[in-house]
Amino acid sequence: MLEHLLTKIRSFGIPRIIIILFLLSLWISAAFLSIPFPALLSDTFVRLGMNTVLTLSMLPSILVGTSLFFGLPLGIICGLLGGVMSIELNLKGLTAFFAAIGFSIPLAILVGYGYGLLLNRVKGSEMTVGTYVGFAFVSLMSFGWVTLPFKNPEMAWAIGKGIRVTVSLEGRFSNVLNKLWAFELYGVKIPTGALVFLGVMCLFMGLFLRTRTGLAMQECGMNPKFAKASGINVDRMRILGTIISTILGAIGILTYAQGFGFLQLYEAPMYMGFIAAAAILIGGASLKTAKISHVIIGTFLFQGILVVALPVANTVATLGSLAEISRIIVSNGIILYALAQKGGNE
Amino acid sequence: MTQVRRFLTNNAVSILFVVIGVLGLRVSGLSLPFFLEDIVNRLARNSFMVLSLIIPVLAGLGLNFAIVLGAMAGQAAIIVVTHWKIPGVGGILLAILLAFPLAVVLGILTGRLLNRARGKEMITTLILGFFSNGIYQLVFLLLVGSVIPMKNDVLVLSSGVGLRTSIDLTGGLKNGLDDLLRIPFPVCAAVTGILLLGVYMVGFFRRRSVRIGKLVGIGVLALFLIGWGLFQVYTRSMFNFVRVPVGTFLIVLGLCVFITFFTRTKLGQDMRTVGQDRHIAEVAGIDSDRIRIIAMVMSTVLASIGQIVFLQNLGTFSTYGSHEQAGMFAIAALLIGGASVAKATIGQALLGTLLFHTMFIVSPLAGRTLFGDAQLGEFFRAFVAYGIIGLSLALHSWKKQMQAREEARRSV
Amino acid sequence: MERNGRSVLEMKNISKEYYGNKVLKGINLSVREGEIHGIVGENGAGKSTLMNILFGMSVIHSTGGFEGSIEFLGNPVTISSPFDAMALGIGMVHQEFMLIPGYSVTENIKLNREITRDTFLSKILGPGLRTLDWESMGQDAKRALSKLEMDIDEWARIAGLPVGHMQFVEIARELDKQNIKLLVFDEPTAVLTESEADRLLSTLRKLAETGISILFITHRLHEIMEVCDRITVLRDGVQVATKSKSETTIEELARLMVGHSIESVGKGKVNLAERKTILKVRDLRVLMPGETVQKVDLDIKEGEIFGIGGLAGQGKIGIANGIMGLYDSDGSVEFDGKPLPLNDPREVLKRGLAFLSEDRRGVGLLLDMSVEMNIVAPAIEIHRKFLKDVGVFSLLDRAQIRAFAQEMIQKLDIRCLGPDQPVKRLSGGNQQKVCIAKALALEPKLLFVSEPTRGIDIGAKKRVLDTLVELNQHNGMSIVLTSSELAELRSICDRIAIISEGRVMGILDPDADDAQFGLLMAGDYAVRQ
């Protein structure tokens, strides 16, 4: 009986249990400190809507065998470019949002293709190379934000060249999804539009994984030798997986931005890959396998912790950076744990 | 002719950076004496850290992104010593001593983690660096003043909890090592020239088989240094105001000597063996896990000393930022010097530091001249640092794949 | 050359069981001083296991140890690790060199046995900081090399040396261990050219003359006859014979090596003269590490069961792998009258060939996936079966997949909890049946099967072979069966080709003389069909 229980616990994952317990204890502390629970839950749902697609971008990369998608900054930048173009064309509301996505997808396909070619040459080191290519690209793009000829006064610096570090989406597509079909339930505000959007994305992903191509992709990640013996071109599948991850990254940042209310340029995308990676790992994924349920559960847990940690910590010690610090510790800690698992040698 | 071509391809990166450096210097409009002052100090404070990366490469652990932990240990020690108001060389030595046990523990923990993450050492050290940064911030931002009692108006924030974002070492540890001995640059140049001549004379008479080309080259360089140095002294030029912190350089030299000695020891050879082929090492009876941990400990301890050397020269440090860049810049510097994930020498470390920091100095100014914006120069600088690491990692991985394919072909 | 010197090694009544499977049954091996003792046998005869026991390898101890006793120089000894063996004076020259390419000859010879000198620091901080005495080490290395009469620069890097020289460095390393009394050579000539092999053999003789005893494991019978004093033949874990050279011939050794033990499945003789050729192979070259194919020509008739046999590492495994496109290949192949492209797994599958790989778990299965998905995956990819259109998408048809899997489970009697059970939970035999089902889903015209009964218990073995015969006789499927178990091949094949050194040595009828099989496998003797 005990043996059985122990094996169940181990397969569920000790870190996952720690995280869930941590979240529960934070919720309980919040209750004790009279922090309004409905507000916490509303915030969590909003953040769920904002971040899930970014976490989802990790999925194709893991499934096709290229591990965690640390090249996420590349996809993010494509999305940001789309957003900026949408503002430049003076679009508003949902149209602006979907146009931004529309602009960013071809970019993401191009960038994803190039990045995929690179990853095929560095099999075994996808994560390390991806990290630094991501960093370098962000720095290069910082160059770009300053030099690209965007004229819209909302975005540009008053004096000097280039776009501002953060671009407000007020009046553009800020909160377009969050406010869409939103309703309240016992004081909890539910951002239905955002949740529906992420639901649709997850649905598409799920359907794709049930197609012939989706199956082929998963075979590549599970056992490349089997895939090759079945006539699948593993290298081409890896590129496809990378492209899909990049596209999801682009869509993901736009979903995030609409909830946040701002487009964050320059150095902001640098560490987002680690956050998304941590989220999917918390949800139960490993470097080699992942499911859509992991994406949703993981984002919920991760964001849940961040949402509740801030007010709880503020009553203990008034320091705003606790959120940032706990994010660093938790996200990197979980990735470290995943890396230290034996089995999964490159 | 092919020898020249081979030299060029093997050292392409370093040559590229020499070109960037020289061009950048012209474009930036910086005067040579000012540049020298800056670069001499940067070399003094950064070389130690870059050298501490050599040992993990030797042991097959690749680029040790976790020297950040050593840097943090060094910083923690400095904070304590500054809090106790112990100045000068004494303070520095105390800091090194204090950092030592912490660095050893961190090194052991890192080593054991890496032994679990076989095959993924570099990404693990990378993430470990980020993670430890979080812990560091937790300790010094939240625990200091609250859980860890520390009353110090200079260091601690006005709220009583957490250290200030920047700490000034003036009057304390600043230049503790540097000020031990400062000699004007031309004199240094001349003395170096004489020493060079001396060392090679001795070497020549001992071994008798030094290549003529090398001997002539060294001889010319030495004579040039002596001549130029004496001339500058005589004309009392601006160069005489560039004062070289010889004390610090002697420490760096000491490390170079130690590393050279170490590679000739049994432990050093075992490390090399483990780095070359872990499986064969184990079959021959070497405990590769233990060797790897020792390599990590050495590197972390050296990094802690390196950070102390760095900060005493800089004089002020960003409490929450200095150590972050330490790792990344040191690695970029090593790679620019021509090192790779599999091989790193002292010469490459020193050359790389020189080239990297030249670019560092020159970029913002060049950016201002070329684009009218110094900020662009800084972005370029970051792009180059990240890019060079990414490129080097990619090349290494690609080469490994090619090698594996070649071996498969050859076994046939 | 008979030597009646004292006994160096006595292995008495050695038996070893791996999980209920007896791989060595009462082996008695004795080696005298200065003797060269040869050990021959097919794959799986027990040679490696016997050597592992002699060397105290952990794989022996972690699986229950062994029965019997070992005496070295007349004293009973316990060898529980390679270091015990080394301490006694037993050395081994491995088939895959344990040399570090980036190191010099001296560094390799002295690996972890370097000569050191004390320093100031080492007295305080420990022996790790002693410096290396390269001069003395170089001298030692030179001495060891000269014992072999090799004129290699002791400071040359291994990476640039020819393979033959590398092997001599391996040997020099063992010789440098001063107390060497017994040296084991495991298939040393496998990687050498003919002249290098000759040189090695004369070196072996020289070493024996200095009093070192040698255990020489090889499959090349003519080498055995050239240098060995006595020869032990192993077959299926049994010591079939130990003879001195003067008492035997190559033919007899070949016969002893192969032996009888056919369990006929009752396949009748088939007249192939009238059948057309379904697969024509010419000048096939395959770059498969460890199983290289140099030049293979074959004509496979429609509806036959064609066997490919030979010793391990000789290339038989490479043929199927090459034709199916899994490894780089060269040459020309024709299937059903039309040219078949090489290096294109997809095309080969489309044209109607299928493959049951020898690497069941590595290539043949997606271990974490269910039984049913494993069965249908290639068919989905190649023939777009089991799909249904839902709007714009073409999705997996779960119902169809489930139905087909159930059918296969029943037909092949796959023991599992259900079609959705992860395939890694099944036993070896049942996993093999899943692979067969997977191949059948493709509806192939020709099936390549490699090592179908490896790692499967006796009962399941027969069932797998029966299934193959049934497929051949009832469905008319042509089968190419590659196996290292000659008995298996002789029981169900119509014809058997023997591969040695990457070439077809000959094609025999299953009831041909044992000696013929043995000689072809030893590569000594080519029989024209």
Side-chain angles (χ1 to χ4, degrees), chain A residues 70 118-125 127-129 131-133 135-137 139-140 142-144 146-147 161 266-267 270-271 274 287 317 319 321-322 324-325 328-333 335-336 338-346, chain B residues 65 113 115-120 122-128 130-131 133-135 137-138 141-142 157 159 161-162 324 328 331 371 373 375-377 379-380 382-387 389-391 393-398 400-401:
Chain A
F70 284 146
L118 173 65
L119 287 185
N120 277 346
R121 298 247 185 283
V122 297
K123 288 187 190 150
S125 308
M127 289 195 282
T128 21
V129 174
T131 305
Y132 279 94
V133 169
F135 288 170
F137 202 71
S139 303
L140 186 65
S142 301
F143 219 85
V146 178
T147 47
K161 293 204 299 181
Y266 294 90
E267 311 252 289
M270 264 208 204
Y271 296 103
F274 301 113
L287 295 177
L319 277 155
S321 15
L322 182 64
E324 181 65 26
I325 293 178
I328 294 178
I329 295 182
V330 168
S331 61
N332 286 300
I335 298 178
L336 271 181
L339 285 169
Q341 291 314 295
K342 296 218 181 189
N345 269 347
E346 315 273 10
Chain B
F65 293 96
L113 178 64
N115 282 338
R116 283 196 64 118
R118 282 202 198 193
K120 296 178 244 137
M122 281 200 284
I123 187 73
T124 306
T125 49
L126 188 62
I127 304 282
L128 183 63
F130 296 149
F131 177 74
N133 190 22
I135 303 277
Q137 288 189 27
L138 186 70
L141 193 56
L142 298 177
L157 289 170
S159 61
V161 174
E324 263 187 70
M328 241 251 321
I331 289 177
F371 305 107
D373 193 341
Q375 180 76 314
L376 280 182
F379 286 142
F380 176 72
F383 169 67
V384 166
Y386 295 133
I389 297 178
L391 185 68
L393 292 169
L395 278 177
H396 172 72
S397 175
W398 183 63
K400 250 202 306 191
Q401 275 190 42

Side-chain angles (χ1 to χ4, degrees), chain C residues 452-476:
Chain C
T453 60
R454 182 188 279 176
I456 299 181
D457 63 271
I458 310 267
K461 264 191 216 273
K462 190 165 179 328
R463 279 197 288 270
V464 170
L465 292 175
D466 284 344
T467 311
L468 291 176
V469 171
E470 205 192 297
L471 284 174
N472 172 257
Q473 294 191 316
H474 290 207
N475 303 36

Side-chain angles (χ1 to χ4, degrees), chain B residues 261-291:
Chain B
F261 165 73
F262 183 71
T263 48
R264 297 209 185 118
T265 63
K266 167 90 175 106
L267 189 56
Q269 181 75 357
D270 280 353
M271 246 182 233
R272 271 184 71 212
T273 307
V274 169
Q276 290 274 325
D277 191 320
R278 195 170 178 180
H279 175 63
I280 294 183
E282 299 230 334
V283 169
I286 300 178
D287 184 352
S288 70
D289 277 347
R290 181 176 156 266
I291 296 281

